[in-house]
Amino acid sequence: MPETVPVTSTVRPELPPLPVQAERLIELGIHRLAGVTAAELRSFAATAQSAAAAETPGERGGSLLAVHPGRAPASVLAPLLRREDKAGFVVTDMPDVDLFAPIEGLGLPEAPLYVVTGVDRGDRMANWSPNEALPALAEQGRTPLMLTEGIHWVLQQPAALERNHCFMTIGSRLRKAGGALDARTPAIWISNGTGRDGAERRNAPKVGWCWAGNRHTWLGFASATGRRP
């Protein structure tokens, strides 16, 4: 395994309480994608907040409110991201972004709404490849974030995405027709406005991909301690 990279980014605040996150999803209209009413989302968040306080008091990173990717896919969520008034986008060579599904054994709840606990950006694993990072996270008892979860995180906490400190979401992978994994692994970073991105998208949040065997010094591996419905 490669050596870990020293963390030099600023310390991020805890995620907002789940009821505050629910209001953010309602503001964006995401509750309608989930097929729930605003009242139902608020009730879920309030109950989940009480459970989180009782089960994991003071857990680092806090809890993240997420919508099942089958209800709110990445292609719909990505344009809701904002950075410096620039809207988020999916790279042009990833038209199949919504086909990236949870990896085997991820433990995704079969519910429209769920909570992700102990979210971390994985800065110390920058310069690791996805192929190296996945077994290391498993050894640590952590689960990699899916792409939609990473987008939810940045929607709730834009400061989670920093230039030179962005992250991969290797809990989502695409299986080819024969059953083998596609070599692309999704990530969320900040566009430089070059190439097909277009200069007008400089500094915009960007959903893209990297090869599973490649290392990048500016990409960590976002993970969590678990998920619960």
Side-chain angles (χ1 to χ4, degrees), residues 89 163 189-195 197-199 201-204 206:
F89 67 99
R163 188 168 288 283
W189 70 91
I190 300 168
S191 174
N192 286 326
T194 56
D197 289 1
R201 282 176 164 165
R202 178 172 172 77
N203 294 323
K206 173 179 177 176

Side-chain angles (χ1 to χ4, degrees), residues 60-137:
R60 185 172 65 85
S63 297
L64 174 68
L65 182 56
V67 175
H68 193 285
R71 303 289 185 105
S75 65
V76 175
L77 294 176
L80 300 177
L81 295 169
R82 290 292 183 275
R83 186 176 187 274
E84 298 182 3
D85 295 325
K86 302 288 183 68
F89 67 99
V90 179
V91 294
T92 58
D93 57 353
M94 204 176 184
D96 51 2
V97 63
D98 293 338
L99 299 181
F100 281 70
I103 61 174
E104 186 176 354
L106 187 84
L108 177 64
E110 289 299 327
L113 303 170
Y114 65 99
V115 173
V116 186
T117 56
V119 177
D120 181 77
R121 197 168 61 185
D123 290 356
R124 294 189 65 81
M125 298 179 78
N127 206 35
W128 291 43
S129 73
N131 287 341
E132 293 163 336
L134 184 60
L137 289 173

Side-chain angles (χ1 to χ4, degrees), residues 11-87:
V11 176
R12 297 177 305 283
E14 290 288 309
L15 274 159
L18 294 174
V20 175
Q21 294 184 42
E23 295 303 322
R24 173 67 171 151
L25 297 186
I26 292 167
E27 173 191 349
L28 294 170
I30 295 175
H31 64 295
R32 290 190 289 271
L33 297 174
V36 301
T37 66
E40 289 170 333
L41 178 52
R42 290 182 176 117
S43 176
F44 175 87
T47 300
Q49 183 68 39
S50 297
E55 296 173 11
T56 55
E59 180 167 33
R60 185 172 65 85
S63 297
L64 174 68
L65 182 56
V67 175
H68 193 285
R71 303 289 185 105
S75 65
V76 175
L77 294 176
L80 300 177
L81 295 169
R82 290 292 183 275
R83 186 176 187 274
E84 298 182 3
D85 295 325
K86 302 288 183 68

